[in-house]
Amino acid sequence: MRKYVIMGIQGSGKGTQSQLLETDLDLVHISVGDIFRWNVQNHTKMGAQVRRVMAAGELVGDDLVESVVRDRLTEHDWNYGFIIDGFPRNRRQAEFFLESYDIDGVIHLDLPDSEVRRRVLNRRLCGNCGINYNLIDSTPAVPGRCDVCGGELVTREDDTEEALAVRLRDYHEKTNPVLDVFRRKEYVVTVDARPAPEVVQAEIRLRLGLPSLAARDQAPDGRPGEARAPDGQREETRSA
Ligand code: AMP
């Protein structure tokens, strides 16, 4: 059982890296932002509650976020573990989380603000299946259309200059201190998020003592291995 938190500023690739981890390690990827977006798209009561806050790039209230996380984790569909993305985002959420769950590590994707802007403002999302694209290096074959389902590519409502400014400010003011809480417990591995996704993924796996994606592909049954990092390797040592 492996329980990870993935943290990083908007556009640092949390979703992409989580998906690469979940495919062969049987981890369940839990994205709090995706849960809210699903509710907005499906016009639920919760969607109506969070839509404006999200579009402005602000943080949803802690009570609601905590109940969403609690409900999601009590589904217990994560036999091999989970990787939670977009949570916790402030000290209170971190304390709530640590009171209720043991975690094995925090993956911190480190990206300078200048690169965040470039990535976020070029990000597109399939309005139908939710796959992410960017107009820099993962452009779709047919402009404006999803390669997988043919759905229309849209810009996230919160991927605007104004909302990005709010999110960057919140990240530095509220979310960075969460890393300090986790660092004190020696959970954090910091990985440079600037290289290509597969390079970042290889580094994450190396630092966490997880089998590499390539080695996994060669395994006869494709099941998760048991390789674990010695505790000392989970400490943050790498500079970006
Ligand atoms: P994300 O996809 O992680 O960038 O999240 C999109 C939006 O959902 C954020 O800008 C917030 O409005 C809301 N959100 C997601 N996770 C949280 C959280 N842990 N605390 C508060 N708001 C959140």
Side-chain angles (χ1 to χ4, degrees):
M1 167 90 70
R2 300 180 172 108
K3 288 175 272 175
Y4 298 119
V5 171
I6 190 161
M7 293 184 61
I9 208 156
Q10 284 70 30
S12 59
K14 298 186 294 291
T16 304
Q17 295 304 327
S18 302
Q19 280 156 15
L20 289 171
L21 282 168
E22 75 170 344
T23 41
D24 63 334
L25 297 172
D26 281 342
L27 303 178
V28 172
H29 172 211
I30 298 172
S31 159
V32 177
D34 281 353
I35 295 174
F36 286 141
R37 271 186 290 281
W38 184 91
N39 278 277
V40 170
Q41 268 163 12
N42 289 281
H43 307 285
T44 68
K45 199 171 150 200
M46 188 197 296
Q49 256 178 295
V50 300
R51 179 173 185 166
R52 232 182 274 160
V53 174
M54 285 180 76
E58 289 162 10
L59 292 178
V60 172
D62 291 333
D63 288 338
L64 180 57
V65 172
E66 285 168 14
S67 80
V68 163
V69 170
R70 195 183 299 112
D71 290 352
R72 181 63 190 83
L73 289 175
T74 48
E75 281 178 33
H76 280 290
D77 55 345
W78 37 276
N79 292 340
Y80 292 98
F82 60 75
I83 174 155
I84 190 158
D85 151 5
F87 179 89
R89 269 200 163 68
N90 58 31
R91 253 176 215 277
R92 173 178 148 172
Q93 293 179 9
E95 278 152 18
F96 156 84
F97 195 51
L98 287 172
E99 273 165 23
S100 315
Y101 301 95
D102 294 326
I103 51 172
D104 295 293
V106 175
I107 302 157
H108 169 218
L109 299 176
D110 193 25
L111 196 69
D113 284 6
S114 54
E115 180 62 11
V116 172
R117 291 188 74 260
R118 195 174 81 97
R119 287 190 183 186
V120 166
L121 299 177
N122 283 293
R123 179 158 64 179
R124 298 292 181 274
L125 185 75
C126 173
N128 183 43
C129 71
I131 288 183
N132 273 309
Y133 292 82
N134 70 62
L135 305 183
I136 307 166
D137 55 16
S138 73
T139 46
V142 178
R145 290 278 154 202
C146 176
D147 290 343
V148 176
C149 73
E152 189 188 352
L153 300 190
V154 295
T155 304
R156 266 172 57 164
E157 244 187 329
D158 54 351
D159 281 349
T160 61
E161 288 272 8
E162 299 73 25
L164 180 59
V166 175
R167 285 190 290 159
L168 285 173
R169 188 202 60 208
D170 272 349
Y171 187 85
H172 291 297
E173 280 179 20
K174 299 177 183 161
T175 310
N176 259 337
V178 172
L179 279 168
D180 294 333
V181 173
F182 288 138
R183 273 191 192 110
R184 281 202 286 278
K185 295 186 175 285
E186 301 188 346
Y187 287 149
V188 182
V189 295
T190 294
V191 173
D192 183 353
R194 287 171 300 180
E198 58 279 11
V199 176
V200 175
Q201 178 70 191
E203 180 68 11
I204 291 173
R205 286 173 181 247
L206 182 73
R207 300 285 305 284
L208 291 173
L210 295 169
S212 69
L213 256 180
R216 168 87 23 212
D217 289 342
Q218 286 153 20
D221 61 1
R223 300 299 306 166
E226 288 307 314
R228 301 303 297 260
D231 284 344
Q233 283 187 12
R234 296 213 302 258
E235 271 184 67
E236 178 185 8
T237 50
R238 185 192 164 99
S239 56

